[in-house]
Amino acid sequence: MIAIVDSPSRASAVTPRRSFFGVIGALLGGLALSAVIALLVAVAVAPPLALTGVAAANTINDFENLPDYLAIGQLSQKSNIYATQNDGTPVLLASFYDQNRVEVTTAQISQYAKDAAIAGEDPRFYEHGGIDMQGTLRAIASTVSGGETQGGSSITQQYVKNVLVQKCETLSDEKQRDNCYNAATETSADRKLKEMRLAIGVEKKFSKDEILQGYLNITGFGGTVYGIEAAANYYFGVSAAALTLPQAASLVAIVNNPVKFQLDEPDSASNGAANGYAANAARRNYILGQMLKYTKITPAEYAAAVAAPVEPSIHEPSTGCQTAGDQAYFCDYVAHVLQNDPTFGEDADTRMMNFRRGGYNVYTTLDLDLQGAAVAALRANVPMTYPGWDVGGVVTSVQVGTGRVLDMAQNKIYSQDPAVLSTGADYTSINYNTDFDYGGSSGFQPGSTYKIFTLGEWLKEGHSLNERVDSRVKANWGTFQDSCLGPQNYDSEHWSPKNDDSSETGSNYTALQSTIKSINTGYIGMAKKLDLCGIRKTAESFDVHRADGAALDQNASAVIGTNEIAPLSIAVAFAGIANNGITCSPIAIDKIVGPTGEDVPVPKSTCTQSVSPTVVADMDYALQAVMSSGTAQQSWQNTTPRVPLIGKTGTTDGNKDTWMSGASTKVATVAAVVSVSGDANQRRTYFDSGQAATARHRMWPMVMSVANAKYGGESFPVSSQSAPDTSEKKDGG
């Protein structure tokens, strides 16, 4: 932050010379001297660092009472989000900034740039004490006598003005920010006096080299480009240290008037680009002439630089997640974490402002190998659009035991631009993998995937996998127990859930058979023996929640998956089941490094015991059977190398949404094809890759094969329960 501290000086008085007043009076054509001119005269005859007031001059007394100290805080800089390659090399996903700036040391700035700034803006920089009286009086005389308006501000004064403007930029309230900016830039004697006073204070505290470094880091170079390093990158594709003489002079030329001298696109009329950037070239050549005049360059260097054409090579920096390409939706999730997590500030606006202006380097959990597999799986199996159906395809993976999100992809092109979004369903700003607060999605029904929580509650209550239940298809299911909301009666609801396979009409399936074949009526029969509130609480113990933030429904239909849930939440739950029943909340950030190299605190995963090791061992046993001989067999058969896997499928009413969720002991993955809008029956719909309903079984193995090869997998805990005959193998829910 930037603060101004009042600290009036107590120097002795100095009497101005009347003859000098006469000179100024004549120069101004008989105009009455203003208070500002009186002050300037006082400055002119006093030692620059011992400026004193005149007892008889109120303007000088007022000047003495102005603050003379400028505390210069951190400048607004761009923040970056990175993935990390296997060898530890960071890969930039996106940058965020209000001002594109990278601070550099004086050693990282070309001497040409430093010399050009002094020669072009303040040739007596190393001689004055913060105020260049000769240049200031000449500028005022020219202005008030009808000549060309001139600036006259020293580099130190310009630096002060920029710091004051930066102070305004840190304010989140728009009205306060505008008022602050107007006060820092208004054309008034009061503002000029304050600027001069602060410039003298800066000169007392900092060396000339430090002031020049600060000036080159803070000053604007047109548009959102600030500081010499970002300007060198943007306009010429080089570092500030590598700037050539003509490049350095062209950049410093921009500082004088960013609108007039900016090196825009070649067809810009504002800077004479149509004539070879004539306006910039003229200012550049003036600066080169000044550098020659003050012997900063040789005549030969001058001649070569003046002869060189102005040839910018614009390098647009990445800004926002739309530049992250295939990683855009994961990047968007990280950005929402930065905006939502209280670790980064007290409210959402403050958090995002801190990030956009803080110069942070954010290193994420993204595994580029798994991300590549997820993107390839979606491209090969789910189109971006389909006639009459807004189809969504998602893949997301979580590391077991840590909660680290390893991949996140979907079948759309990411954009936040309304004009782009209006062009068609290929584009969306909504992240289908996440909750509403973390990407705008309200989630999707997971269908039979949700049965795993009834299974967990069944085992927690002491029931066996081999226990049989009433599994008949019927219209009257009677009353279900609910310790939270009271008994729920389905006598008059005419609620008659069917099974995915019409041949599944048995009256007493076991819990294990119901799991392997994903038999709806078997699970409704299990729920009849349980507490619906208990089933909800078991789901919540695995960090499962509705994507829209509402409480989970706990009615009988919720047992077979009617709550809208984000795929990431299901992946987290499967990671918990694969982690001996310990569920770890998702995290997307491994490390954040601040602008001065310090580590910034990041959100940590919270791991809790969802169910006991005994219960989860039985869950693992049943879910392994789903993979090897049940509804997830296609995914099992297509995943190599082979490691122990658990899994569960899910299909919603009308085959609108189809899920494949599962895990090794190292990685949990969810792959799904969902209906964003429209009502397509996926079993009657075919993509180029095959039936829409089986795309999940083509995508999940592509990702998990990469995960198995990279992370491996161990055996799941041994269950104490034995299995009945599971010879029937049907691709159900």
Side-chain angles (χ1 to χ4, degrees), residues 454 458 463 467-472 474 477 480 495 497 507 509 511 514 519-530 556 559-560:
T454 298
W458 176 264
H463 296 282
E467 184 177 334
R468 297 182 181 276
V469 296
D470 183 358
S471 310
R472 293 172 295 169
K474 52 188 176 181
W477 279 92
F480 290 77
W495 182 62
S507 62
Y509 288 109
S514 298
I519 299 172
N520 289 338
T521 55
Y523 264 84
I524 299 300
M526 292 164 65
K528 279 280 290 183
K529 293 188 173 186
L530 299 172
V559 170
I560 52 177

PDB file of all heavy atoms in Angstrom, residues 454 458 463 467-472 474 477 480 495 497 507 509 511 514 519-530 556 559-560:
ATOM      1  N   THR A 454     -26.022 -44.867  -0.231  1.00  0.00           N
ATOM      2  CA  THR A 454     -26.933 -45.810   0.417  1.00  0.00           C
ATOM      3  C   THR A 454     -26.179 -47.078   0.800  1.00  0.00           C
ATOM      4  O   THR A 454     -26.398 -47.649   1.882  1.00  0.00           O
ATOM      5  CB  THR A 454     -28.112 -46.137  -0.506  1.00  0.00           C
ATOM      6  OG1 THR A 454     -28.854 -44.950  -0.775  1.00  0.00           O
ATOM      7  CG2 THR A 454     -29.035 -47.181   0.113  1.00  0.00           C
ATOM      8  N   TRP A 458     -25.940 -48.496   4.471  1.00  0.00           N
ATOM      9  CA  TRP A 458     -26.363 -49.892   4.673  1.00  0.00           C
ATOM     10  C   TRP A 458     -25.321 -50.651   5.500  1.00  0.00           C
ATOM     11  O   TRP A 458     -25.649 -51.326   6.477  1.00  0.00           O
ATOM     12  CB  TRP A 458     -26.556 -50.534   3.309  1.00  0.00           C
ATOM     13  CG  TRP A 458     -26.908 -51.991   3.274  1.00  0.00           C
ATOM     14  CD1 TRP A 458     -26.047 -53.040   3.105  1.00  0.00           C
ATOM     15  CD2 TRP A 458     -28.207 -52.564   3.390  1.00  0.00           C
ATOM     16  NE1 TRP A 458     -26.723 -54.226   3.101  1.00  0.00           N
ATOM     17  CE2 TRP A 458     -28.062 -53.966   3.276  1.00  0.00           C
ATOM     18  CE3 TRP A 458     -29.490 -52.037   3.580  1.00  0.00           C
ATOM     19  CZ2 TRP A 458     -29.141 -54.845   3.345  1.00  0.00           C
ATOM     20  CZ3 TRP A 458     -30.563 -52.908   3.631  1.00  0.00           C
ATOM     21  CH2 TRP A 458     -30.382 -54.288   3.529  1.00  0.00           C
ATOM     22  N   HIS A 463     -25.765 -53.936   8.170  1.00  0.00           N
ATOM     23  CA  HIS A 463     -26.322 -54.871   7.194  1.00  0.00           C
ATOM     24  C   HIS A 463     -25.187 -55.499   6.370  1.00  0.00           C
ATOM     25  O   HIS A 463     -24.101 -54.924   6.228  1.00  0.00           O
ATOM     26  CB  HIS A 463     -27.306 -54.155   6.267  1.00  0.00           C
ATOM     27  CG  HIS A 463     -28.520 -53.628   6.976  1.00  0.00           C
ATOM     28  ND1 HIS A 463     -29.576 -54.425   7.354  1.00  0.00           N
ATOM     29  CD2 HIS A 463     -28.835 -52.366   7.389  1.00  0.00           C
ATOM     30  CE1 HIS A 463     -30.494 -53.692   7.957  1.00  0.00           C
ATOM     31  NE2 HIS A 463     -30.068 -52.431   7.992  1.00  0.00           N
ATOM     32  N   GLU A 467     -27.187 -59.712   2.404  1.00  0.00           N
ATOM     33  CA  GLU A 467     -28.570 -59.616   2.870  1.00  0.00           C
ATOM     34  C   GLU A 467     -29.499 -59.276   1.715  1.00  0.00           C
ATOM     35  O   GLU A 467     -29.185 -58.434   0.882  1.00  0.00           O
ATOM     36  CB  GLU A 467     -28.669 -58.548   3.963  1.00  0.00           C
ATOM     37  CG  GLU A 467     -30.040 -58.433   4.597  1.00  0.00           C
ATOM     38  CD  GLU A 467     -30.055 -57.398   5.717  1.00  0.00           C
ATOM     39  OE1 GLU A 467     -28.991 -57.155   6.321  1.00  0.00           O
ATOM     40  OE2 GLU A 467     -31.135 -56.815   5.974  1.00  0.00           O
ATOM     41  N   ARG A 468     -30.655 -59.948   1.694  1.00  0.00           N
ATOM     42  CA  ARG A 468     -31.620 -59.748   0.623  1.00  0.00           C
ATOM     43  C   ARG A 468     -32.712 -58.767   1.052  1.00  0.00           C
ATOM     44  O   ARG A 468     -33.037 -58.662   2.235  1.00  0.00           O
ATOM     45  CB  ARG A 468     -32.233 -61.085   0.204  1.00  0.00           C
ATOM     46  CG  ARG A 468     -31.203 -62.045  -0.376  1.00  0.00           C
ATOM     47  CD  ARG A 468     -31.821 -63.362  -0.831  1.00  0.00           C
ATOM     48  NE  ARG A 468     -30.783 -64.244  -1.353  1.00  0.00           N
ATOM     49  CZ  ARG A 468     -30.330 -64.202  -2.593  1.00  0.00           C
ATOM     50  NH1 ARG A 468     -30.840 -63.330  -3.444  1.00  0.00           N
ATOM     51  NH2 ARG A 468     -29.377 -65.031  -2.991  1.00  0.00           N
ATOM     52  N   VAL A 469     -33.253 -58.075   0.060  1.00  0.00           N
ATOM     53  CA  VAL A 469     -34.313 -57.105   0.329  1.00  0.00           C
ATOM     54  C   VAL A 469     -35.449 -57.295  -0.669  1.00  0.00           C
ATOM     55  O   VAL A 469     -35.285 -57.932  -1.719  1.00  0.00           O
ATOM     56  CB  VAL A 469     -33.785 -55.655   0.228  1.00  0.00           C
ATOM     57  CG1 VAL A 469     -32.747 -55.378   1.283  1.00  0.00           C
ATOM     58  CG2 VAL A 469     -33.234 -55.371  -1.162  1.00  0.00           C
ATOM     59  N   ASP A 470     -36.588 -56.728  -0.354  1.00  0.00           N
ATOM     60  CA  ASP A 470     -37.734 -56.747  -1.268  1.00  0.00           C
ATOM     61  C   ASP A 470     -37.399 -55.866  -2.468  1.00  0.00           C
ATOM     62  O   ASP A 470     -37.280 -54.646  -2.347  1.00  0.00           O
ATOM     63  CB  ASP A 470     -38.978 -56.228  -0.539  1.00  0.00           C
ATOM     64  CG  ASP A 470     -40.220 -56.282  -1.411  1.00  0.00           C
ATOM     65  OD1 ASP A 470     -40.114 -56.681  -2.592  1.00  0.00           O
ATOM     66  OD2 ASP A 470     -41.302 -55.922  -0.906  1.00  0.00           O
ATOM     67  N   SER A 471     -37.240 -56.474  -3.622  1.00  0.00           N
ATOM     68  CA  SER A 471     -36.775 -55.763  -4.814  1.00  0.00           C
ATOM     69  C   SER A 471     -37.832 -55.732  -5.910  1.00  0.00           C
ATOM     70  O   SER A 471     -37.516 -55.473  -7.082  1.00  0.00           O
ATOM     71  CB  SER A 471     -35.503 -56.428  -5.358  1.00  0.00           C
ATOM     72  OG  SER A 471     -34.551 -56.624  -4.338  1.00  0.00           O
ATOM     73  N   ARG A 472     -39.072 -55.970  -5.578  1.00  0.00           N
ATOM     74  CA  ARG A 472     -40.119 -56.005  -6.600  1.00  0.00           C
ATOM     75  C   ARG A 472     -40.390 -54.602  -7.166  1.00  0.00           C
ATOM     76  O   ARG A 472     -40.288 -53.609  -6.450  1.00  0.00           O
ATOM     77  CB  ARG A 472     -41.404 -56.565  -6.006  1.00  0.00           C
ATOM     78  CG  ARG A 472     -41.352 -58.042  -5.611  1.00  0.00           C
ATOM     79  CD  ARG A 472     -42.601 -58.429  -4.872  1.00  0.00           C
ATOM     80  NE  ARG A 472     -42.693 -57.713  -3.595  1.00  0.00           N
ATOM     81  CZ  ARG A 472     -43.786 -57.709  -2.841  1.00  0.00           C
ATOM     82  NH1 ARG A 472     -44.866 -58.356  -3.234  1.00  0.00           N
ATOM     83  NH2 ARG A 472     -43.798 -57.056  -1.680  1.00  0.00           N
ATOM     84  N   LYS A 474     -42.992 -52.046  -7.965  1.00  0.00           N
ATOM     85  CA  LYS A 474     -44.348 -51.855  -7.456  1.00  0.00           C
ATOM     86  C   LYS A 474     -44.672 -50.368  -7.391  1.00  0.00           C
ATOM     87  O   LYS A 474     -43.786 -49.508  -7.429  1.00  0.00           O
ATOM     88  CB  LYS A 474     -44.491 -52.492  -6.078  1.00  0.00           C
ATOM     89  CG  LYS A 474     -43.439 -52.093  -5.056  1.00  0.00           C
ATOM     90  CD  LYS A 474     -43.551 -52.926  -3.798  1.00  0.00           C
ATOM     91  CE  LYS A 474     -42.433 -52.600  -2.824  1.00  0.00           C
ATOM     92  NZ  LYS A 474     -42.515 -53.422  -1.586  1.00  0.00           N
ATOM     93  N   TRP A 477     -44.762 -48.053  -2.314  1.00  0.00           N
ATOM     94  CA  TRP A 477     -43.584 -48.389  -1.507  1.00  0.00           C
ATOM     95  C   TRP A 477     -43.792 -48.082  -0.021  1.00  0.00           C
ATOM     96  O   TRP A 477     -42.903 -48.328   0.787  1.00  0.00           O
ATOM     97  CB  TRP A 477     -42.354 -47.635  -2.031  1.00  0.00           C
ATOM     98  CG  TRP A 477     -41.753 -48.314  -3.226  1.00  0.00           C
ATOM     99  CD1 TRP A 477     -42.040 -48.073  -4.527  1.00  0.00           C
ATOM    100  CD2 TRP A 477     -40.798 -49.366  -3.213  1.00  0.00           C
ATOM    101  NE1 TRP A 477     -41.304 -48.900  -5.355  1.00  0.00           N
ATOM    102  CE2 TRP A 477     -40.524 -49.707  -4.562  1.00  0.00           C
ATOM    103  CE3 TRP A 477     -40.130 -50.075  -2.211  1.00  0.00           C
ATOM    104  CZ2 TRP A 477     -39.629 -50.708  -4.931  1.00  0.00           C
ATOM    105  CZ3 TRP A 477     -39.234 -51.069  -2.566  1.00  0.00           C
ATOM    106  CH2 TRP A 477     -38.988 -51.388  -3.903  1.00  0.00           C
ATOM    107  N   PHE A 480     -41.131 -44.505   4.389  1.00  0.00           N
ATOM    108  CA  PHE A 480     -39.685 -44.546   4.616  1.00  0.00           C
ATOM    109  C   PHE A 480     -39.381 -43.754   5.888  1.00  0.00           C
ATOM    110  O   PHE A 480     -39.965 -42.696   6.144  1.00  0.00           O
ATOM    111  CB  PHE A 480     -38.930 -43.929   3.436  1.00  0.00           C
ATOM    112  CG  PHE A 480     -38.975 -44.745   2.177  1.00  0.00           C
ATOM    113  CD1 PHE A 480     -40.114 -44.766   1.368  1.00  0.00           C
ATOM    114  CD2 PHE A 480     -37.879 -45.501   1.792  1.00  0.00           C
ATOM    115  CE1 PHE A 480     -40.153 -45.507   0.207  1.00  0.00           C
ATOM    116  CE2 PHE A 480     -37.909 -46.246   0.630  1.00  0.00           C
ATOM    117  CZ  PHE A 480     -39.045 -46.255  -0.166  1.00  0.00           C
ATOM    118  N   TRP A 495     -45.517 -43.623  -7.019  1.00  0.00           N
ATOM    119  CA  TRP A 495     -44.091 -43.604  -7.383  1.00  0.00           C
ATOM    120  C   TRP A 495     -43.653 -45.041  -7.640  1.00  0.00           C
ATOM    121  O   TRP A 495     -43.673 -45.876  -6.745  1.00  0.00           O
ATOM    122  CB  TRP A 495     -43.295 -42.978  -6.246  1.00  0.00           C
ATOM    123  CG  TRP A 495     -41.818 -42.868  -6.514  1.00  0.00           C
ATOM    124  CD1 TRP A 495     -41.216 -42.158  -7.496  1.00  0.00           C
ATOM    125  CD2 TRP A 495     -40.777 -43.488  -5.763  1.00  0.00           C
ATOM    126  NE1 TRP A 495     -39.858 -42.279  -7.422  1.00  0.00           N
ATOM    127  CE2 TRP A 495     -39.554 -43.097  -6.360  1.00  0.00           C
ATOM    128  CE3 TRP A 495     -40.759 -44.321  -4.641  1.00  0.00           C
ATOM    129  CZ2 TRP A 495     -38.322 -43.524  -5.871  1.00  0.00           C
ATOM    130  CZ3 TRP A 495     -39.540 -44.741  -4.152  1.00  0.00           C
ATOM    131  CH2 TRP A 495     -38.327 -44.356  -4.768  1.00  0.00           C
ATOM    132  N   PRO A 497     -40.525 -46.597  -9.382  1.00  0.00           N
ATOM    133  CA  PRO A 497     -39.257 -46.640 -10.129  1.00  0.00           C
ATOM    134  C   PRO A 497     -39.052 -47.984 -10.810  1.00  0.00           C
ATOM    135  O   PRO A 497     -39.372 -49.037 -10.248  1.00  0.00           O
ATOM    136  CB  PRO A 497     -38.210 -46.376  -9.051  1.00  0.00           C
ATOM    137  CG  PRO A 497     -38.862 -46.783  -7.775  1.00  0.00           C
ATOM    138  CD  PRO A 497     -40.314 -46.478  -7.930  1.00  0.00           C
ATOM    139  N   SER A 507     -37.412 -60.642  -6.787  1.00  0.00           N
ATOM    140  CA  SER A 507     -38.081 -60.076  -5.622  1.00  0.00           C
ATOM    141  C   SER A 507     -37.180 -59.977  -4.404  1.00  0.00           C
ATOM    142  O   SER A 507     -37.570 -59.385  -3.401  1.00  0.00           O
ATOM    143  CB  SER A 507     -39.302 -60.935  -5.269  1.00  0.00           C
ATOM    144  OG  SER A 507     -38.890 -62.260  -4.933  1.00  0.00           O
ATOM    145  N   TYR A 509     -33.257 -59.470  -4.373  1.00  0.00           N
ATOM    146  CA  TYR A 509     -31.832 -59.313  -4.690  1.00  0.00           C
ATOM    147  C   TYR A 509     -31.050 -58.989  -3.416  1.00  0.00           C
ATOM    148  O   TYR A 509     -31.550 -58.325  -2.505  1.00  0.00           O
ATOM    149  CB  TYR A 509     -31.619 -58.187  -5.701  1.00  0.00           C
ATOM    150  CG  TYR A 509     -32.068 -58.521  -7.107  1.00  0.00           C
ATOM    151  CD1 TYR A 509     -33.190 -57.917  -7.654  1.00  0.00           C
ATOM    152  CD2 TYR A 509     -31.345 -59.430  -7.890  1.00  0.00           C
ATOM    153  CE1 TYR A 509     -33.597 -58.203  -8.950  1.00  0.00           C
ATOM    154  CE2 TYR A 509     -31.751 -59.718  -9.183  1.00  0.00           C
ATOM    155  CZ  TYR A 509     -32.876 -59.105  -9.711  1.00  0.00           C
ATOM    156  OH  TYR A 509     -33.271 -59.407 -10.994  1.00  0.00           O
ATOM    157  N   ALA A 511     -27.832 -57.049  -1.489  1.00  0.00           N
ATOM    158  CA  ALA A 511     -27.225 -55.725  -1.638  1.00  0.00           C
ATOM    159  C   ALA A 511     -26.088 -55.769  -2.648  1.00  0.00           C
ATOM    160  O   ALA A 511     -25.905 -54.820  -3.435  1.00  0.00           O
ATOM    161  CB  ALA A 511     -26.729 -55.227  -0.284  1.00  0.00           C
ATOM    162  N   SER A 514     -27.542 -56.033  -6.159  1.00  0.00           N
ATOM    163  CA  SER A 514     -28.138 -54.741  -6.519  1.00  0.00           C
ATOM    164  C   SER A 514     -27.072 -53.724  -6.898  1.00  0.00           C
ATOM    165  O   SER A 514     -27.301 -52.838  -7.726  1.00  0.00           O
ATOM    166  CB  SER A 514     -28.983 -54.211  -5.351  1.00  0.00           C
ATOM    167  OG  SER A 514     -30.051 -55.082  -5.067  1.00  0.00           O
ATOM    168  N   ILE A 519     -29.362 -52.229  -9.638  1.00  0.00           N
ATOM    169  CA  ILE A 519     -30.801 -52.476  -9.628  1.00  0.00           C
ATOM    170  C   ILE A 519     -31.493 -51.435  -8.753  1.00  0.00           C
ATOM    171  O   ILE A 519     -31.291 -51.378  -7.535  1.00  0.00           O
ATOM    172  CB  ILE A 519     -31.091 -53.903  -9.127  1.00  0.00           C
ATOM    173  CG1 ILE A 519     -30.437 -54.928 -10.066  1.00  0.00           C
ATOM    174  CG2 ILE A 519     -32.593 -54.145  -9.032  1.00  0.00           C
ATOM    175  CD1 ILE A 519     -30.493 -56.348  -9.566  1.00  0.00           C
ATOM    176  N   ASN A 520     -32.317 -50.615  -9.368  1.00  0.00           N
ATOM    177  CA  ASN A 520     -32.994 -49.538  -8.640  1.00  0.00           C
ATOM    178  C   ASN A 520     -33.872 -50.070  -7.510  1.00  0.00           C
ATOM    179  O   ASN A 520     -33.828 -49.572  -6.378  1.00  0.00           O
ATOM    180  CB  ASN A 520     -33.851 -48.714  -9.600  1.00  0.00           C
ATOM    181  CG  ASN A 520     -33.023 -47.868 -10.550  1.00  0.00           C
ATOM    182  OD1 ASN A 520     -31.870 -47.557 -10.268  1.00  0.00           O
ATOM    183  ND2 ASN A 520     -33.605 -47.514 -11.685  1.00  0.00           N
ATOM    184  N   THR A 521     -34.709 -51.061  -7.835  1.00  0.00           N
ATOM    185  CA  THR A 521     -35.645 -51.551  -6.822  1.00  0.00           C
ATOM    186  C   THR A 521     -34.913 -52.213  -5.663  1.00  0.00           C
ATOM    187  O   THR A 521     -35.394 -52.185  -4.520  1.00  0.00           O
ATOM    188  CB  THR A 521     -36.645 -52.531  -7.451  1.00  0.00           C
ATOM    189  OG1 THR A 521     -35.925 -53.591  -8.126  1.00  0.00           O
ATOM    190  CG2 THR A 521     -37.556 -51.823  -8.444  1.00  0.00           C
ATOM    191  N   GLY A 522     -33.762 -52.819  -5.941  1.00  0.00           N
ATOM    192  CA  GLY A 522     -32.967 -53.381  -4.860  1.00  0.00           C
ATOM    193  C   GLY A 522     -32.519 -52.296  -3.896  1.00  0.00           C
ATOM    194  O   GLY A 522     -32.555 -52.475  -2.667  1.00  0.00           O
ATOM    195  N   TYR A 523     -32.118 -51.140  -4.438  1.00  0.00           N
ATOM    196  CA  TYR A 523     -31.661 -50.049  -3.578  1.00  0.00           C
ATOM    197  C   TYR A 523     -32.817 -49.350  -2.875  1.00  0.00           C
ATOM    198  O   TYR A 523     -32.667 -48.874  -1.742  1.00  0.00           O
ATOM    199  CB  TYR A 523     -30.804 -49.067  -4.378  1.00  0.00           C
ATOM    200  CG  TYR A 523     -29.334 -49.383  -4.196  1.00  0.00           C
ATOM    201  CD1 TYR A 523     -28.711 -50.353  -4.972  1.00  0.00           C
ATOM    202  CD2 TYR A 523     -28.599 -48.768  -3.201  1.00  0.00           C
ATOM    203  CE1 TYR A 523     -27.388 -50.682  -4.769  1.00  0.00           C
ATOM    204  CE2 TYR A 523     -27.270 -49.078  -2.991  1.00  0.00           C
ATOM    205  CZ  TYR A 523     -26.665 -50.043  -3.772  1.00  0.00           C
ATOM    206  OH  TYR A 523     -25.359 -50.382  -3.545  1.00  0.00           O
ATOM    207  N   ILE A 524     -33.975 -49.289  -3.518  1.00  0.00           N
ATOM    208  CA  ILE A 524     -35.139 -48.743  -2.815  1.00  0.00           C
ATOM    209  C   ILE A 524     -35.500 -49.664  -1.651  1.00  0.00           C
ATOM    210  O   ILE A 524     -35.830 -49.204  -0.542  1.00  0.00           O
ATOM    211  CB  ILE A 524     -36.332 -48.590  -3.774  1.00  0.00           C
ATOM    212  CG1 ILE A 524     -35.983 -47.621  -4.911  1.00  0.00           C
ATOM    213  CG2 ILE A 524     -37.563 -48.095  -3.015  1.00  0.00           C
ATOM    214  CD1 ILE A 524     -35.616 -46.238  -4.471  1.00  0.00           C
ATOM    215  N   GLY A 525     -35.390 -50.968  -1.891  1.00  0.00           N
ATOM    216  CA  GLY A 525     -35.637 -51.916  -0.810  1.00  0.00           C
ATOM    217  C   GLY A 525     -34.642 -51.766   0.324  1.00  0.00           C
ATOM    218  O   GLY A 525     -34.997 -51.881   1.512  1.00  0.00           O
ATOM    219  N   MET A 526     -33.375 -51.490  -0.003  1.00  0.00           N
ATOM    220  CA  MET A 526     -32.379 -51.236   1.041  1.00  0.00           C
ATOM    221  C   MET A 526     -32.730 -49.974   1.820  1.00  0.00           C
ATOM    222  O   MET A 526     -32.636 -49.932   3.057  1.00  0.00           O
ATOM    223  CB  MET A 526     -30.990 -51.107   0.412  1.00  0.00           C
ATOM    224  CG  MET A 526     -30.438 -52.411  -0.177  1.00  0.00           C
ATOM    225  SD  MET A 526     -29.035 -52.159  -1.310  1.00  0.00           S
ATOM    226  CE  MET A 526     -27.787 -51.510  -0.210  1.00  0.00           C
ATOM    227  N   ALA A 527     -33.143 -48.925   1.100  1.00  0.00           N
ATOM    228  CA  ALA A 527     -33.472 -47.657   1.754  1.00  0.00           C
ATOM    229  C   ALA A 527     -34.658 -47.806   2.697  1.00  0.00           C
ATOM    230  O   ALA A 527     -34.753 -47.093   3.708  1.00  0.00           O
ATOM    231  CB  ALA A 527     -33.767 -46.591   0.701  1.00  0.00           C
ATOM    232  N   LYS A 528     -35.576 -48.731   2.377  1.00  0.00           N
ATOM    233  CA  LYS A 528     -36.720 -48.971   3.259  1.00  0.00           C
ATOM    234  C   LYS A 528     -36.274 -49.423   4.647  1.00  0.00           C
ATOM    235  O   LYS A 528     -36.980 -49.221   5.638  1.00  0.00           O
ATOM    236  CB  LYS A 528     -37.634 -50.037   2.646  1.00  0.00           C
ATOM    237  CG  LYS A 528     -38.568 -49.529   1.576  1.00  0.00           C
ATOM    238  CD  LYS A 528     -39.790 -48.850   2.155  1.00  0.00           C
ATOM    239  CE  LYS A 528     -40.716 -49.869   2.816  1.00  0.00           C
ATOM    240  NZ  LYS A 528     -41.947 -49.232   3.336  1.00  0.00           N
ATOM    241  N   LYS A 529     -35.116 -50.077   4.715  1.00  0.00           N
ATOM    242  CA  LYS A 529     -34.605 -50.568   5.992  1.00  0.00           C
ATOM    243  C   LYS A 529     -33.671 -49.556   6.672  1.00  0.00           C
ATOM    244  O   LYS A 529     -33.101 -49.860   7.722  1.00  0.00           O
ATOM    245  CB  LYS A 529     -33.854 -51.886   5.778  1.00  0.00           C
ATOM    246  CG  LYS A 529     -34.735 -53.041   5.347  1.00  0.00           C
ATOM    247  CD  LYS A 529     -33.941 -54.341   5.350  1.00  0.00           C
ATOM    248  CE  LYS A 529     -34.837 -55.541   5.091  1.00  0.00           C
ATOM    249  NZ  LYS A 529     -34.090 -56.824   5.240  1.00  0.00           N
ATOM    250  N   LEU A 530     -33.520 -48.389   6.048  1.00  0.00           N
ATOM    251  CA  LEU A 530     -32.580 -47.388   6.550  1.00  0.00           C
ATOM    252  C   LEU A 530     -33.301 -46.088   6.887  1.00  0.00           C
ATOM    253  O   LEU A 530     -34.520 -45.964   6.713  1.00  0.00           O
ATOM    254  CB  LEU A 530     -31.482 -47.130   5.515  1.00  0.00           C
ATOM    255  CG  LEU A 530     -30.600 -48.321   5.118  1.00  0.00           C
ATOM    256  CD1 LEU A 530     -29.701 -47.947   3.950  1.00  0.00           C
ATOM    257  CD2 LEU A 530     -29.770 -48.791   6.316  1.00  0.00           C
ATOM    258  N   ALA A 556     -37.030 -40.510  -1.063  1.00  0.00           N
ATOM    259  CA  ALA A 556     -36.723 -41.846  -1.566  1.00  0.00           C
ATOM    260  C   ALA A 556     -36.145 -41.802  -2.981  1.00  0.00           C
ATOM    261  O   ALA A 556     -35.267 -42.601  -3.329  1.00  0.00           O
ATOM    262  CB  ALA A 556     -37.975 -42.722  -1.527  1.00  0.00           C
ATOM    263  N   VAL A 559     -32.356 -41.514  -3.492  1.00  0.00           N
ATOM    264  CA  VAL A 559     -31.538 -42.722  -3.354  1.00  0.00           C
ATOM    265  C   VAL A 559     -30.977 -43.164  -4.702  1.00  0.00           C
ATOM    266  O   VAL A 559     -29.860 -43.683  -4.783  1.00  0.00           O
ATOM    267  CB  VAL A 559     -32.378 -43.854  -2.708  1.00  0.00           C
ATOM    268  CG1 VAL A 559     -31.638 -45.192  -2.776  1.00  0.00           C
ATOM    269  CG2 VAL A 559     -32.723 -43.495  -1.280  1.00  0.00           C
ATOM    270  N   ILE A 560     -31.748 -42.940  -5.766  1.00  0.00           N
ATOM    271  CA  ILE A 560     -31.287 -43.357  -7.092  1.00  0.00           C
ATOM    272  C   ILE A 560     -30.801 -42.169  -7.925  1.00  0.00           C
ATOM    273  O   ILE A 560     -30.759 -42.220  -9.148  1.00  0.00           O
ATOM    274  CB  ILE A 560     -32.366 -44.163  -7.839  1.00  0.00           C
ATOM    275  CG1 ILE A 560     -33.704 -43.430  -7.859  1.00  0.00           C
ATOM    276  CG2 ILE A 560     -32.537 -45.530  -7.182  1.00  0.00           C
ATOM    277  CD1 ILE A 560     -34.789 -44.157  -8.643  1.00  0.00           C
TER     278      ILE A 560
END
